């Protein structure tokens, strides 16, 4: 009987470890930067960033107002996780990029 427990316990531990996913799996990380942060009304700025993590290519990215959460623009990452979008904010806004659970640090755009 004791021999069965000596085999069953290590097998159960291995099965549970496999269900938990790989140890140290990296979470997605998202960056955002603007070509210009000080704009005249009607001027555009180019927002760029990178999504890193597993399967970062072809993922949707939403540019959002960090205060209200309203979507300002949207795009999709290229095969390497890079994205680019032009934006002409109508007023001062603090923008952030969002993709899945990943959020970038905010970028302050002044009009």
């Amino acid at each position: 009987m004791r021999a069965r427990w000596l085999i069953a316990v290590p097998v159960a531990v291995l099965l549970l470890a496999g269900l938990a996913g790989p140890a140290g799996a990296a979470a997605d990380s998202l960056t955002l930067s603007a070509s210009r942060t000080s704009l005249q009304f009607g001027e555009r700025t180019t927002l760029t960033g990178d999504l890193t993590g597993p399967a970062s290519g072809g993922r949707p990215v939403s540019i959002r107002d960090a205060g209200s959460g309203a979507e300002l623009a949207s795009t999709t990452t290229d095969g390497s996780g890079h994205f680019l979008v032009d934006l002409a904010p109508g007023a001062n806004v603090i923008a952030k990029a969002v993709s899945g659970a990943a959020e970038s640090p905010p970028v302050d755009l002044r009009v």
Side-chain angles (χ1 to χ4, degrees):
M1 180 80 158
R2 182 178 168 115
R4 286 186 203 164
W5 280 107
L6 291 175
I7 293 171
V9 171
V11 169
V13 169
L14 289 174
L15 287 174
L16 289 174
L19 293 175
D28 289 340
S29 173
L30 193 57
T31 63
L32 180 66
S33 61
S35 61
R36 299 179 58 203
T37 58
S38 181
L39 307 159
Q40 297 295 319
F41 183 80
E43 288 183 324
R44 303 182 82 72
T45 186
T46 301
L47 302 176
T48 59
D50 290 289
L51 176 64
T52 57
S56 59
R59 298 262 304 271
V61 176
S62 177
I63 306 300
R64 297 190 172 271
D65 179 322
S68 70
E71 185 173 76
L72 306 172
S74 65
T75 188
T76 303
T77 61
D78 65 15
S80 64
H82 184 75
F83 66 90
L84 176 143
V85 65
D86 285 332
L87 181 68
N92 295 339
V93 66
I94 298 174
K96 67 179 180 179
V98 177
S99 183
E103 290 188 9
S104 73
V107 173
D108 194 3
L109 303 174
R110 295 289 165 191
V111 179

